Amino acid sequence: DTAVSQTPKYLVTQMGNDKSIKCEQNLGHDTMYWYKQDSKKFLKIMFSYNNKELIINETVPNRFSPKSPDKAHLNLHINSLELGDSAVYFCASSHWHRENEKLFFGSGTQLSVL
Amino acid sequence: QKEVEQNSGPLSVPEGAIASLNCTYSDRGSQSFFWYRQYSGKSPELIMFIYSNGDKEDGRFTAQLNKASQYVSLLIRDSQPSDSATYLCAVNSPGTYKYIFGTGTRLKVLA
């Protein structure tokens, strides 16, 4: 069983479009994250949610809107896509309140904006 | 200064040698340290974690932590071509709700 699953795996779209990426985890974790990985492999945190509440928004443009309907799901909607949004987006999850808990990643969504 | 720094490489080692990967971090309050391996086109995969000063061994992998020097390293013994990947160092601190990653070191093990 996949622990952290996200869909779609690939997303190719035109500038200006709106798109969504979905993420689900079945690990029973209380915290979920979105990371963006650029072409140089740098993983930068975008958002983190703890028990459905937004905890971190790392100065991400408001075109990006995460939504967490419950602890097991964290979706990412992106409005008015721009060329610079092209990257791989990773969903991840962990237990935060358990000391020294590890972070588990989904398989990633490669977004290409043309 | 970046929060977590790694040499981007590539680090090239011959098969069977020891590969040594290094990472420094800026937040003295950091408590948990992780090494992830990422193959091209794949997601990061956790291979080691360390919380206390000293060494921690798991098979061919050894993680070393020195909190006084704010330094964490990963040693890979008997390196294999299949170890060729990007290795990402990650750090978290209590109450921050985020794991901070370094830029990764690309390792090439030459057959």
Side-chain angles (χ1 to χ4, degrees), chain A residues 2 17 40:
Chain A
T2 303
N17 284 349
K40 294 184 178 179

Side-chain angles (χ1 to χ4, degrees), chain A residues 35 37 56 100-101 103 106, chain B residues 32 36 38 43 51 96-97 99:
Chain A
Y35 278 85
Q37 188 170 47
I56 288 177
N100 301 324
E101 270 292 327
L103 184 69
Chain B
S32 305
Y36 285 82
Q38 187 176 24
S43 59
Y51 311 134
T96 61
Y97 288 93
Y99 296 73

Side-chain angles (χ1 to χ4, degrees), chain A residues 31 33 35 37 40-43 45 48 50 55-56 58 90 94 96-97 100-103 105-107, chain B residues 31-32 34 36 38-44 46 49 51 86 88 92-93 95-99 101-103:
Chain A
T31 307
Y33 312 79
Y35 278 85
Q37 188 170 47
K40 294 184 178 179
K41 294 288 196 181
F42 181 52
L43 264 171
I45 186 152
S48 76
N50 177 259
I55 302 296
I56 288 177
E58 287 284 302
F90 286 101
S94 74
W96 191 263
H97 291 293
N100 301 324
E101 270 292 327
K102 308 168 219 19
L103 184 69
F105 284 90
S107 57
Chain B
Q31 289 193 352
S32 305
F34 307 86
Y36 285 82
Q38 187 176 24
Y39 292 113
S40 181
K42 301 294 185 183
S43 59
L46 180 69
F49 56 92
Y51 311 134
T86 296
L88 300 163
N92 76 22
S93 305
T96 61
Y97 288 93
K98 59 183 175 181
Y99 296 73
F101 283 81
T103 51

Side-chain angles (χ1 to χ4, degrees), chain A residues 14-32:
Chain A
Q14 300 286 330
M15 269 198 313
N17 284 349
D18 303 339
K19 289 293 177 186
S20 292
I21 307 172
K22 294 186 175 183
C23 179
E24 176 181 2
Q25 55 95 3
N26 62 6
L27 297 168
H29 288 160
D30 59 8
T31 307
M32 296 185 72

